[in-house]
Amino acid sequence: MATQSVRIGWRPYVDLGLDVSATAFINASGLTDVTQKSAVNTLVKDLKRFGLWSKIKAFYPFVGGSATNHKFNLVDPRDTNDAYRLTFAGGWTHSSMGAQCNGSNTSADTFLSLRTVLGSTSTQHTLGIYINENPSTRLSYRSDISANDGSATSTPNIYQYSGNGTTHIVDMTTNWWSWLTPITRDVRGLTEFKRYNSKYTCGFVNGYEVQDWRNMTTSPYYNPIASVKIGSSDSLNRYSTAYVADLLNSLDSYLMYFAVQKFNTTLARQIGTSISSIPLNTYVTPPSLVTSGK
């Protein structure tokens, strides 16, 4: 009698061709370059197999070389405000490297209200931005990604600004701008800010937690009602990826960075992994689930 064996263990990841969501985005954004199309397809597959796709509300790959290419939301590539496609205002520079502010009059509206999309009483969200060029050395207010109610007594606001090699975060409270301890780092790479509740937010850099701020406010504020904006009139930064999502856990953030870094590396516009910060002392062992593209 022939001996039979049963193999038990890890099954390698198998690429099964074009993903339907990637195809929809490619068609909507008018991409024709083979490398760009392949990068989008791999990105979508990574986001789905990592369990991130369903948590994302809007994702902007900034792939292609024009405002038309760059405006579409990866998870819903319809050309409408309801799909959170970007509307660019001012003198943006669009190229295969991403979308760059001019330091004078640039902004982009997502039409996505955190409070509306995530719930009328929600205090949780995640904002992410991948910067691959930061030519400015001056320190000024530069909202790379933010949601601003514009009122001191309304909801809080996670507001990033960067310059002079530093990334900061501020929180809108009843005392107007309440300055928090900044993250000091090269601003390039993936910066992610999360609000866990009305009093606790934290920053992640390239997939790792680098700073947290607790008991920021004394009142239970909710997410901003105003739409999320990308870029500002003070910024000269260039963006190659941006997203708005549900509250992501630590492993989610690590996997998100892996997917985003892999995507931008394929397009030769990545920032090296040496751009990082020293993690918090309380951050123990980095996630080890994903170590390669397999």
Side-chain angles (χ1 to χ4, degrees):
M1 178 180 295
T3 302
Q4 293 182 338
S5 63
V6 177
R7 182 179 180 180
I8 300 175
W10 176 74
R11 184 174 66 87
Y13 169 68
V14 178
D15 190 324
L16 298 178
L18 283 174
D19 180 274
V20 62
S21 300
T23 300
F25 176 85
I26 289 168
N27 291 339
S29 57
L31 296 179
T32 58
D33 181 84
V34 174
T35 299
Q36 293 175 350
K37 291 163 65 175
S38 177
V40 169
N41 189 51
T42 300
L43 173 64
V44 171
K45 289 183 175 182
D46 282 345
L47 294 174
K48 288 185 175 181
R49 68 192 179 101
F50 293 161
L52 299 172
W53 185 261
S54 62
K55 301 177 182 181
I56 298 170
K57 305 307 177 186
F59 192 106
Y60 307 100
F62 295 115
V63 61
S66 69
T68 299
N69 300 141
H70 291 169
K71 72 180 179 179
F72 288 99
N73 171 12
L74 182 66
V75 300
D76 187 355
R78 293 175 295 144
D79 193 2
T80 171
N81 294 351
D82 293 336
Y84 313 128
R85 63 99 168 86
L86 293 174
T87 293
F88 293 98
W92 287 84
T93 297
H94 297 275
S95 70
S96 61
M97 296 297 290
Q100 186 164 15
C101 297
N102 68 357
S104 175
N105 63 358
T106 40
S107 67
D109 197 341
T110 68
F111 298 95
L112 187 159
S113 163
L114 290 166
R115 196 190 310 178
T116 300
V117 172
L118 299 178
S120 61
T121 59
S122 175
T123 59
Q124 299 180 332
H125 63 259
T126 301
L127 302 177
I129 193 91
Y130 192 104
I131 300 170
N132 64 9
E133 184 175 353
N134 172 41
S136 177
T137 57
R138 76 179 190 273
L139 185 64
S140 61
Y141 301 96
R142 54 185 59 185
S143 167
D144 292 313
I145 184 166
S146 66
N148 188 350
D149 271 354
S151 171
T153 58
S154 63
T155 59
N157 176 40
I158 300 300
Y159 189 98
Q160 175 186 353
Y161 81 88
S162 56
N164 198 24
T166 304
T167 293
H168 297 255
I169 181 173
V170 296
D171 174 50
M172 183 177 285
T173 69
T174 52
N175 296 318
W176 194 236
W177 296 112
S178 175
W179 298 93
L180 304 177
T181 304
I183 301 172
T184 301
R185 59 175 288 264
D186 185 319
V187 301
R188 296 174 301 160
L190 180 62
T191 299
E192 187 181 83
F193 290 123
K194 309 179 189 184
R195 177 176 288 282
Y196 285 94
N197 54 51
S198 64
K199 299 181 180 181
Y200 176 27
T201 188
C202 71
F204 276 61
V205 173
N206 294 343
Y208 297 103
E209 184 179 353
V210 296
Q211 183 62 282
D212 65 0
W213 302 270
R214 299 171 189 267
N215 300 319
M216 298 184 302
T217 62
T218 58
S219 302
Y221 296 115
Y222 300 121
N223 281 341
I225 190 67
S227 60
V228 175
K229 303 292 196 306
I230 297 174
S232 75
S233 58
D234 292 303
S235 179
L236 288 170
N237 290 340
R238 183 175 63 204
Y239 314 121
S240 63
T241 312
Y243 53 89
V244 180
D246 296 332
L247 175 62
L248 302 181
N249 62 36
S250 295
L251 181 57
D252 288 337
S253 291
Y254 181 79
L255 295 174
M256 179 67 83
Y257 169 68
F258 181 85
V260 169
Q261 182 74 1
K262 179 179 175 182
F263 170 69
N264 285 305
T265 299
T266 300
L267 299 176
R269 60 186 195 180
Q270 79 280 7
I271 294 301
T273 54
S274 61
I275 303 299
S276 61
S277 291
I278 299 173
L280 288 172
N281 292 331
T282 55
Y283 199 89
V284 191
T285 305
S288 59
L289 177 62
V290 175
T291 56
S292 70
K294 300 297 184 179

